[in-house]
Amino acid sequence: MAGKIPRDFIDDLLSRTDVVEVVDSRVKLKKAGKNYQACCPFHNEKSPSFTVSQDKQFYHCFGCGAHGNAISFIMEFDRLEFVEAIEELARYHGLEVPREKGSRPAMSEEKKQQQQDDYAVMEQVTRFFQHQLRQNGNSKKAIDYLKNRGLSGDIVKQWEIGYAPDSWDALLNTFGKDPQRIKQLVDLKLVNKNDQGRTYDFFRDRIMFPIRDKRGRVVGFGGRVLDDGGPKYLNSPETRIFHKGSELFGFYSARQKNRSLDTVVIVEGYMDVVALSQFDINIATAALGTATTPEHIQMLVRATSHIVCCYDGDRAGREAAWRALENALPALKDGVRISFLFLPDGEDPDTMVRQVGKDAFMEMLDDAMPLSRFFFENLLKTHNVGTPEGKIALKKAAMPLIESTLGDDQKQMLLEELAKHTGEFDRFKLQQDITKANQGSKQAYSPNRNQVNKPKLSPLRMLIRLLLDKPELATLCEDVQIDIFAGSNAAGMDLLRDVHRYCVSHPQAKTAQLVENFRDHPHSSTIAKLLLQEHLVKDEDAERVYNDSFARLLDGHFDSRIETLISRSRVQPLTQAEKQELNLLMRERQKS
């Protein structure tokens, strides 16, 4: 891969960016005091709870908890990956994204231009196929086929469906104006070149479906035959811009039509995706002539909380579902569930939705078989748990798959089900109860247990929280010396030190830049939770509260360390360094 994007460039990009402009270009904002408001674009609401702060360069929704900076907003709203969001923001400012030295140099200007030209050609070819569907001599045959499949003109237009002429060189003659362009067509697998050097169109006499990547760019095509001649579907081969194991047909459309993509259904064919959309089911996507890959699953778990694999109920469909399950487990984080819907023999989503209608089909998706049930039903077909040997064999087959599961809760659920099938459930539950009891004893006393709904920030958390809001506090409050806690292992102290260090070295930073710097920090989730927690400190009181919180933290630190050293001195003599530390702490304690 190309090298990383330098942190300095990201900070500079955020300093050039006004998050209000970025959000307002996509969601109309209204001024509300010193901030801006709108109805949240990430969940349905009638009254606005989505706030954008120009001072902090940060947005936050009090309804669903969405929050972040300009980069985060572009990622969520435009459905882009981190690097893509950086590139989008850089393009907005007319900047080139630099790269640090990586395993290979960043893309050259020549390659960038080539890539842009490739995407432009693919768009032109999409328009060419659409035009052929209307104007070609065989267009009636192609249109009749689509009508017979029950597709309306609007749906055909929406999915940019076209027709590849029944000719050896219709596309070649249209676009292959010179040797360089012909080579590009060959490289993009739009044109074939045989051993004798003859060139001819790759797709001929087929209904054409353009395949768009997650950024909406056409990267390949799927072609379906009009009769029984040749392979049913022909997909673009791998090219420099198309990698079928990483793309899903219809995924871009599903993300564009659903700001909150609660469920995604994986089907087997292009026509299934298109047919479902005609019934206003805009959550379907299809693999491109391959099994559902780990890359596909990773794309989906980032976009949705429920994946339904919808396959034929025959042997091939169930084998495809099992491969999808194996690929899903290592990416299956807690909070995301995968279900399996097997249709009756001879049925596919296209025919099924036409028979039962939208509501009934959606109910079928809701009632799909949970992963755990399919997991064990499949394994129990080949392992007889009526015998000790069968139980051992089941455990041997299941454990590697269960251990590969990403989510801890998902893994525990599968282990519990396995214990039921092997007759070890009582022992499993006993071990679970012992583990919980051990964990509970460590947390037996909590002074705020009855104040769950009234969280109060500790001095340490208040310091971090205020620095997140006003990074300049680190330099304004010179008496707050976080280094004095260098030897402390108190929970959260390492995060406080890291945040304070960043704020001292970046006194002009805003919340947006600070949060961005800690995007991949081990405690980034803690930062996110703190940002969601109200501290009710007015701007004019921030310095006073910051100093007071430090004093309170210092008192607790002094008391704890003094007590430790005095206790140790009763058992054995202190070292010279410990004596000096104790004397220093006693003096500081008296000052405070």
Side-chain angles (χ1 to χ4, degrees):
M1 294 178 63
K4 288 184 177 180
I5 301 172
R7 173 59 58 187
D8 288 347
F9 176 79
I10 297 174
D11 287 343
D12 178 61
L13 191 61
L14 285 170
S15 70
R16 293 168 181 258
T17 303
D18 184 351
V19 69
V20 172
E21 288 184 10
V22 171
V23 175
D24 192 53
S25 67
R26 295 160 172 82
V27 179
K28 198 62 183 172
L29 295 173
K30 290 184 178 180
K31 198 82 165 67
K34 65 178 183 179
N35 295 326
Y36 294 81
Q37 283 187 339
C39 285
C40 181
F42 305 119
H43 81 286
N44 294 323
E45 61 178 8
K46 295 180 180 178
S47 57
S49 59
F50 182 81
T51 301
V52 184
S53 169
Q54 203 156 32
D55 290 341
K56 297 182 178 67
Q57 287 296 301
F58 198 74
Y59 67 87
H60 171 63
C61 175
F62 293 94
C64 69
H67 63 275
N69 56 23
I71 296 172
S72 305
F73 185 83
I74 292 173
M75 288 174 68
E76 290 298 317
F77 192 90
D78 293 355
R79 309 285 187 168
L80 300 180
E81 301 297 326
F82 175 73
V83 172
E84 295 169 338
I86 295 288
E87 291 172 344
E88 183 70 22
L89 202 53
R91 211 166 19 245
Y92 175 78
H93 291 290
L95 300 174
E96 287 293 327
V97 179
R99 300 280 182 155
E100 295 173 352
K101 282 191 174 180
S103 54
R104 70 180 187 191
M107 187 183 296
S108 66
E109 285 301 318
E110 183 180 353
K111 285 188 176 180
K112 282 183 183 178
Q113 185 57 51
Q114 175 67 73
Q115 191 178 76
Q116 291 173 7
D117 198 33
D118 287 344
Y119 292 129
V121 167
M122 298 299 276
E123 286 288 350
Q124 292 167 15
V125 171
T126 301
R127 303 285 87 78
F128 168 78
F129 287 142
Q130 284 185 291
H131 178 76
Q132 293 299 315
L133 180 61
R134 297 190 303 269
Q135 303 296 332
N136 188 268
N138 278 343
S139 63
K140 184 179 185 306
K141 170 186 168 186
I143 291 172
D144 286 345
Y145 171 83
L146 294 172
K147 286 181 177 178
N148 290 335
R149 292 300 301 264
L151 299 186
S152 68
D154 288 341
I155 285 295
V156 169
K157 185 177 180 180
Q158 175 186 315
W159 287 94
E160 303 169 292
I161 296 172
Y163 172 68
D166 187 11
S167 165
W168 284 97
D169 53 11
L171 185 146
L172 176 63
N173 289 337
T174 301
F175 296 98
K177 301 301 183 183
D178 54 62
Q180 183 178 356
R181 184 64 79 185
I182 292 174
K183 182 180 184 306
Q184 183 182 21
L185 296 175
V186 172
D187 290 343
L188 295 176
K189 301 299 191 292
L190 295 167
V191 166
N192 267 347
K193 187 174 185 179
N194 62 21
D195 295 339
Q196 289 73 44
R198 182 189 173 191
T199 51
Y200 53 92
D201 292 355
F202 182 81
F203 294 102
R204 299 185 304 281
D205 196 26
R206 286 178 179 268
I207 297 295
M208 299 300 296
F209 300 85
I211 300 164
R212 293 190 177 273
D213 67 8
K214 56 181 175 287
R215 294 180 65 178
R217 302 170 301 197
V218 178
V219 292
F221 293 92
R224 196 200 188 288
V225 291
L226 296 169
D227 47 39
D228 296 329
K232 184 176 178 181
Y233 279 103
L234 184 64
N235 297 300
S236 290
E238 297 273 316
T239 70
R240 58 191 173 222
I241 63 171
F242 179 54
H243 309 285
K244 64 179 68 177
S246 302
E247 304 295 346
L248 288 165
F249 176 74
F251 186 53
Y252 172 74
S253 176
R255 292 201 304 177
Q256 294 303 304
K257 288 183 176 295
N258 300 274
R259 283 297 163 206
S260 179
L261 195 56
D262 298 325
T263 300
V264 174
V265 55
I266 304 174
V267 295
E268 293 190 71
Y270 301 93
M271 198 63 77
D272 294 322
V273 176
V274 175
L276 289 174
S277 75
Q278 184 156 318
F279 284 78
D280 198 30
I281 301 175
N282 298 299
I283 57 172
T285 186
L288 309 172
T290 67
T292 305
T293 67
E295 290 79 11
H296 291 151
I297 297 295
Q298 287 167 7
M299 282 172 61
L300 293 173
V301 298
R302 288 195 293 265
T304 187
S305 58
H306 186 201
I307 302 168
V308 182
C309 298
C310 182
Y311 295 110
D312 295 344
D314 58 13
R315 180 178 176 181
R318 288 184 174 269
E319 287 177 351
W322 185 254
R323 289 195 298 273
L325 180 146
E326 290 178 313
N327 288 330
L329 291 177
L332 192 56
K333 62 184 181 181
D334 290 333
V336 177
R337 62 190 176 104
I338 295 185
S339 306
F340 296 84
L341 174 60
F342 297 103
L343 299 178
D345 287 346
E347 302 292 349
D348 55 34
D350 181 3
T351 59
M352 200 75 214
V353 74
R354 296 182 192 283
Q355 284 185 37
V356 303
K358 175 185 177 179
D359 292 342
F361 189 85
M362 293 300 291
E363 286 181 12
M364 293 172 69
L365 295 179
D366 291 338
D367 296 336
M369 184 186 299
L371 177 144
S372 58
R373 181 178 157 195
F374 175 57
F375 182 89
F376 287 104
E377 275 191 7
N378 198 68
L379 289 176
L380 289 171
K381 288 178 181 177
T382 53
H383 298 92
N384 178 15
V385 291
T387 65
E389 292 82 3
K391 292 176 181 177
I392 293 171
L394 172 65
K395 195 169 184 178
K396 185 177 180 181
M399 281 305 295
L401 293 168
I402 294 175
E403 288 299 331
S404 74
T405 306
L406 177 63
D408 291 336
D409 292 343
Q410 300 271 7
K411 186 181 296 183
Q412 284 299 110
M413 179 266 295
L414 290 172
L415 286 171
E416 184 172 326
E417 289 298 311
L418 177 62
K420 291 177 183 177
H421 288 293
T422 57
E424 300 174 332
F425 183 67
D426 290 341
R427 187 166 62 183
F428 175 83
K429 288 299 291 180
L430 177 61
Q431 185 59 51
Q432 291 292 98
D433 291 342
I434 292 172
T435 302
K436 287 180 181 178
N438 289 337
Q439 291 173 343
S441 65
K442 296 176 183 177
Q443 303 170 356
Y445 174 71
S446 172
N448 293 321
R449 288 186 72 153
N450 296 321
Q451 300 180 27
V452 176
N453 295 323
K454 297 180 180 179
K456 186 176 180 181
L457 290 176
S458 66
L460 188 149
R461 284 176 168 262
M462 180 61 82
L463 286 167
I464 299 173
R465 184 66 180 85
L466 290 171
L467 284 173
L468 293 177
D469 271 356
K470 293 172 71 83
E472 65 268 27
L473 286 172
T475 49
L476 288 174
C477 303
E478 297 179 356
D479 291 339
V480 175
Q481 298 295 322
I482 301 300
D483 290 343
I484 200 168
F485 305 117
S488 173
N489 293 319
M493 191 62 77
D494 52 347
L495 177 58
L496 173 60
R497 284 194 289 262
D498 289 348
V499 171
H500 185 267
R501 192 178 300 118
Y502 174 84
C503 293
V504 169
S505 58
H506 299 81
Q508 304 303 316
K510 298 290 186 185
T511 300
Q513 290 159 309
L514 190 156
V515 172
E516 187 58 47
N517 187 78
F518 285 84
R519 181 183 288 272
D520 298 318
H521 191 277
H523 298 305
S524 60
S525 60
T526 302
I527 290 175
K529 290 174 184 175
L530 280 172
L531 282 165
L532 295 177
Q533 201 162 350
E534 289 298 296
H535 55 64
L536 304 178
V537 177
K538 298 178 181 178
D539 283 350
E540 57 268 28
D541 296 332
E543 286 188 47
R544 178 183 58 78
V545 176
Y546 185 73
N547 282 312
D548 289 349
S549 297
F550 175 70
R552 290 170 57 207
L553 183 63
L554 201 57
D555 286 348
H557 172 69
F558 286 159
D559 292 345
S560 175
R561 185 60 179 161
I562 288 170
E563 183 179 337
T564 299
L565 290 172
I566 291 175
S567 298
R568 187 178 299 172
S569 70
R570 294 181 183 131
V571 179
Q572 63 185 37
L574 297 178
T575 65
Q576 188 62 34
E578 288 174 331
K579 288 179 182 178
Q580 290 176 352
E581 181 187 0
L582 180 57
N583 290 331
L584 175 63
L585 288 171
M586 294 291 283
R587 287 197 301 270
E588 291 294 336
R589 185 70 183 87
Q590 289 170 358
K591 289 179 186 177
S592 63

